[in-house]
Amino acid sequence: MAGHTQNEITIGAPVDLVWDMTNDVENWPQLFSEYASADIISREGNRTTFRLTMHPDENGTVWTWVSERETDRDTLSVRARRIETGPFAHMNILWQYEEVPAGTRMVWTQDFEMKPDAPVDDAWMTDNINRNSKVQMALIRDRIEQAAKECRLVPTLSD
């Protein structure tokens, strides 16, 4: 069995700002609440290889792994995968962006499979990813919308 999730959110900001902020991997610790650090390993064209380190979990364990992202600005999409898979047999993520009347729709699609000896199974991880994606997406939305207001990219009531 494999896991599959798809979560989306609409961000009240222009697609250029959403794209720039969500693809600025070095600043992910300021965008996501779960990452303690994001360290760039290499950049080649539109491909970035980086190490993510999470804040310690409830047991004090610090999870870290290497991933790779390839951005395609023309199609407003990003394909990512874990290189150091840890407990995953594989983890692939597709980020898609779309301009909509209310701003930018951002969709995360994750396809993965847990290794047989992983501490959790595919069903548990699917529930965990769905729950956490909603939290992280809402936080990202709020932070980008705040940045848009500070840049005056969205109208305010006084405009």
Side-chain angles (χ1 to χ4, degrees), residues 71-134:
T71 60
D72 185 338
R73 184 65 174 85
D74 292 339
T75 63
L76 293 174
S77 64
V78 179
R79 294 195 178 278
R81 68 182 181 93
R82 283 191 181 201
I83 295 171
E84 290 179 3
T85 58
F88 293 92
H90 69 271
M91 166 60 88
N92 299 309
I93 307 171
L94 174 63
W95 294 44
Q96 295 171 294
Y97 305 80
E98 178 186 7
E99 287 187 84
V100 296
T104 303
R105 180 173 162 253
M106 183 175 69
V107 181
W108 294 346
T109 304
Q110 294 175 266
D111 290 296
F112 60 90
E113 186 172 0
M114 303 309 295
K115 291 178 180 174
D117 62 347
V120 299
D121 63 12
D122 293 336
W124 185 95
M125 187 56 73
T126 298
D127 289 342
N128 185 62
I129 289 172
N130 278 326
R131 194 171 37 256
N132 190 52
S133 291
K134 288 172 181 52

Side-chain angles (χ1 to χ4, degrees), residues 10-80:
T10 298
I11 301 169
V15 70
D16 288 337
L17 181 64
V18 175
W19 177 269
D20 289 347
M21 288 185 71
T22 59
N23 286 295
D24 183 1
V25 175
E26 294 95 330
N27 284 310
W28 277 7
Q30 287 73 50
L31 196 59
F32 291 80
S33 65
E34 61 190 345
Y35 300 136
S37 65
D39 301 305
I40 303 302
I41 296 169
S42 69
R43 279 204 172 89
E44 296 176 31
N46 293 334
R47 181 176 294 130
T48 302
T49 304
F50 56 98
R51 174 172 296 284
L52 286 175
T53 303
M54 297 183 78
H55 295 288
D57 67 15
E58 62 278 354
N59 299 318
T61 303
V62 175
W63 297 94
T64 185
W65 64 92
V66 173
S67 288
E68 159 183 288
R69 290 170 62 79
E70 188 161 359
T71 60
D72 185 338
R73 184 65 174 85
D74 292 339
T75 63
L76 293 174
S77 64
V78 179
R79 294 195 178 278

